[in-house]
Amino acid sequence: QVQLVESGGGSQQAGESLRLSCSTSGFTKIAGRTYCLAWFRQAPGKEREGLASIQYDGVTTYDASVKDRFTIAEDIAENSWYLQMNNLKPEDAATYYCAADTRACRLDKAPVQGDFRYWGQGTQVTVSS
């Protein structure tokens, strides 16, 4: 059974930073050599949007809205991946989700929700101006 658990959410002032973590149990056992790890977020009343992905060979993709401020990294040997968020803005406030799947990431765009079978429960991020 694959489980993903996000942590690191909280309340920050605009301009500050936050690091989210995703810990998994079970995924590394099924991932093999090919996998894609990602972060999404969903604000109230809005659709879930893909922010960043990283695949097995370290190649990353980002949504344009976060490309210069957020960084995705992974340490799959430690069953974890991360989202470093710098220069937070009030519009970054949302519930953040990590996701994973046992296939390569699509590299032509930010991650797409339908490409991922495994999801965490989400962690809340609040940003005040």
Side-chain angles (χ1 to χ4, degrees):
Q1 183 179 1
V2 176
Q3 290 186 321
L4 277 58
V5 179
E6 301 92 343
S7 62
S11 297
Q12 294 292 94
Q13 297 279 337
E16 294 183 337
S17 299
L18 204 58
R19 188 192 194 214
L20 304 182
S21 299
C22 183
S23 297
T24 180
S25 60
F27 180 73
T28 51
K29 296 179 181 178
I30 65 170
R33 295 182 179 181
T34 303
Y35 56 83
C36 181
L37 313 172
W39 286 95
F40 291 74
R41 69 184 177 192
Q42 187 168 20
K46 295 187 177 181
E47 294 186 354
R48 190 170 298 189
E49 60 175 337
L51 301 176
S53 69
I54 184 167
Q55 66 177 24
Y56 56 94
D57 58 0
V59 175
T60 59
T61 67
Y62 291 92
D63 183 78
S65 66
V66 303
K67 184 176 182 179
D68 296 327
R69 300 185 295 121
F70 292 7
T71 302
I72 188 171
E74 60 97 348
D75 188 351
I76 201 66
E78 294 296 326
N79 301 311
S80 297
W81 58 103
Y82 312 96
L83 186 68
Q84 177 67 42
M85 304 187 294
N86 297 329
N87 189 24
L88 285 165
K89 302 177 180 180
E91 52 264 41
D92 293 322
T95 300
Y96 283 71
Y97 299 89
C98 61
D101 208 283
T102 56
R103 51 189 170 186
C105 299
R106 62 171 72 206
L107 301 180
D108 61 336
K109 60 193 312 182
V112 174
Q113 185 175 354
D115 289 346
F116 295 86
R117 288 175 288 173
Y118 306 108
W119 291 86
Q121 294 299 308
T123 186
Q124 188 75 30
V125 172
T126 304
V127 184
S128 56
S129 57

